[in-house]
Amino acid sequence: MTTEKILSPFDGRVIGEMPVSGAEEVERAILRSQAAFQKMRKLPRFVRADILLKAAELIKQRRDEFITTIAGEAGKPLYDARGEVSRAIFNLTNAAAEARRFGGEEVPLDMDAGVFEYQTTDSQGRPIALADLDSEALNRMRRRIGIARRFPIGPILAISPFNFPLNLVVHKVAPAIAVGNSVVLKPAPQTPLTSLLLQQVLTEAGLPDGALEVLHCSVPLAESMVRDERFAMVSFTGSARVGWHIKDIAGRKKVALELGGNGAVVVAEDADLDLAAARCVRGGVVYGGQYCIGVQRILVQESVAAAFTAKLVERVRACKVGDPMQEGVDVGPVIDEGSAIRIQSWIDEAVAGGAKLLHGGPRQGAVVQPTVLTDTAKGMKIEDEEVFGPVLTVNSYGSFDEAIARAGDSKYGLQGGMFTNDLRRAFQAIEDWDVGGLMVNDVPIYRIDNMPFGGWKESGFGREGTRYAMEEMSDIKHLVINYA
């Protein structure tokens, strides 16, 4: 098998080598996954839970190795790489807890008198009339129970992005294991080494052979797997363009898509401006802005716009930019120079169209300087599309209704944020703003890994978050027993 060198997006140094899978390796992996599913589906809950717990403990023991691998191949600052590892550990332990209790529910079958009368007969098969029954006879006849049980659906094809090479992989793999599925994982081509580490850890934790296959393969081979009916489901996180293409070619299998966003934040006149500015900067520049729920568009009430903007720019100026392997760096590179060139072109296009550059500078290789723009407008890529870079736009609004309308005027609907002490506004916003999650007095990047997570509109469909992903990766069989 050939290998491919995986390079640092910051300085091009070799981080490691990854085996490249061809058509034969892909076919073997699918067959192994099918065989492993037959074992996984029969494992008791406690076995699946214990595997996940052991994996979490092993990651704790190899924490530094995971951190440096993530920082190296993804160009992620060390602080954020540490946070990602902590989140993955929680993700695994939470999946273990959910594996022990996840099952189904009783479905009541005696809710309506008319339907009960119609569906029930006496011991000779003759219709009954409820009016003719005494309480003892009625009690005998009502003895039916419905049990809706959840079962694993089969091998899952998981396709993950580069920006969270551990935790967004765990978001797919851990729920699949928890319910008893097997997984074939295609990690992002830029960041496959972390997936290999995770596979090693899960194997050492006792995961059956073939239950997690990792394939670093070409796009045509990945598309062939998406089309392959031996998979029960495709779970994809990545760009909207690729995600909707996957849905088009996936056939009859289940599909879950966690796609992009251009996250908006509304700052009301009663907001804590220092908190709002600090969180908006963190939400906008974390990991070079390569965050599907990152802050991109900020809308500030006009009476506090000048004060807020000054605080925002001051905090952006204070961000330390440079080598992600150096302690204290806030912003490292984006994933490659091509992405940096695209981001810079969107900034330049906005300025040429009338936007004002409040802070920023020319890119250096793959490093894009944290940027603040104002006077941006609909029709600019920096407003309409997902920038996936450390770029913030800030504009003022008059009425709260105007702010919510502009925030929601997007083809995306992943997560949003707002800063206000008026709970009425918060409830109005969640009714009128079509996003999968709304963070009040915080920014869209806030995500705890057991939360339901997913988007509206072109941000995809289906939900991640441990229990919610387990529901997506299982299906219901309904058992009805007449024990009269």
Side-chain angles (χ1 to χ4, degrees), residues 317-331:
R317 281 201 183 103
C319 290
K320 186 175 178 182
V321 181
D323 185 348
M325 304 301 289
Q326 297 283 326
E327 293 289 354
V329 166
D330 301 301
V331 182

Side-chain angles (χ1 to χ4, degrees), residues 84-113:
E84 180 172 352
V85 172
S86 294
R87 288 180 62 185
I89 291 167
F90 166 67
N91 227 334
L92 288 162
T93 57
N94 189 53
E98 291 290 354
R100 296 184 196 278
R101 57 178 170 254
F102 186 79
E105 61 181 358
E106 179 184 346
V107 179
L109 304 177
D110 55 354
M111 294 175 65
D112 184 87

Side-chain angles (χ1 to χ4, degrees), residues 148-430:
R149 290 181 60 189
R150 285 198 165 269
F151 292 85
I153 57 175
I156 307 285
L157 173 61
I159 304 175
S160 61
F162 69 80
N163 57 335
F164 284 82
L166 178 61
N167 197 43
L168 288 187
V169 169
V170 172
H171 263 296
K172 301 180 186 306
V173 171
I177 292 170
V179 296
N181 292 313
S182 57
V183 181
V184 174
L185 169 66
K186 185 204 172 297
Q190 306 95 327
T191 56
L193 299 174
T194 307
S195 293
L196 273 189
L197 288 180
L198 178 65
Q199 185 186 39
Q200 292 171 15
V201 158
L202 282 163
T203 298
E204 187 178 345
L207 189 68
D209 188 44
L212 174 59
E213 295 286 313
V214 178
L215 297 175
H216 181 60
C217 66
S218 67
V219 170
L221 282 175
E223 287 193 349
S224 74
M225 288 194 287
V226 172
R227 290 185 169 95
D228 198 313
E229 290 301 324
R230 289 174 291 182
F231 288 105
M233 179 180 179
V234 180
S235 177
F236 172 81
T237 299
S239 73
R241 179 183 60 81
V242 175
W244 295 114
H245 174 63
I246 284 172
K247 181 178 181 295
D248 287 343
I249 67 174
R252 295 187 298 266
K253 63 180 67 65
K254 293 179 77 171
V255 176
L257 302 177
E258 197 276 277
L259 307 178
N262 58 355
V265 175
V266 175
V267 181
E269 65 274 16
D270 65 340
D272 180 333
L273 299 186
D274 289 310
L275 172 65
R279 291 298 290 160
C280 282
V281 172
R282 171 68 182 161
V285 307
V286 61
Y287 185 39
Q290 297 171 120
Y291 212 130
C292 59
I293 47 177
V295 177
Q296 184 170 330
R297 300 174 294 138
I298 307 172
L299 304 171
V300 191
Q301 210 284 325
E302 56 194 11
S303 66
V304 296
F308 172 84
T309 303
K311 293 174 184 291
L312 183 80
V313 172
E314 180 185 5
R315 288 180 176 275
V316 170
R317 281 201 183 103
C319 290
K320 186 175 178 182
V321 181
D323 185 348
M325 304 301 289
Q326 297 283 326
E327 293 289 354
V329 166
D330 301 301
V331 182
V334 294
I335 195 62
D336 53 42
E337 190 169 12
S339 298
I341 291 169
R342 174 192 58 78
I343 295 163
Q344 187 69 58
S345 74
W346 288 15
I347 296 168
D348 295 342
E349 178 187 85
V351 171
K356 263 186 224 169
L357 183 68
L358 299 181
H359 182 74
R363 69 175 182 86
Q364 297 174 318
V367 177
V368 178
Q369 295 299 314
T371 300
V372 182
L373 295 164
T374 191
D375 295 340
T376 53
K378 194 165 177 63
M380 295 177 177
K381 291 189 182 73
I382 214 77
E383 280 276 321
D384 295 355
E385 304 296 336
E386 179 182 40
V387 65
F388 227 57
V391 183
L392 296 162
T393 71
V394 57
N395 291 282
S396 63
Y397 69 86
S399 72
F400 186 73
D401 287 346
E402 174 193 336
I404 295 303
R406 181 166 178 178
D409 186 15
S410 169
K411 62 185 177 181
Y412 297 114
L414 195 46
Q415 291 203 154
M418 63 183 298
F419 288 84
T420 181
N421 290 314
D422 188 341
L423 281 180
R424 293 169 299 181
R425 287 175 169 173
F427 283 106
Q428 176 191 340
I430 198 62

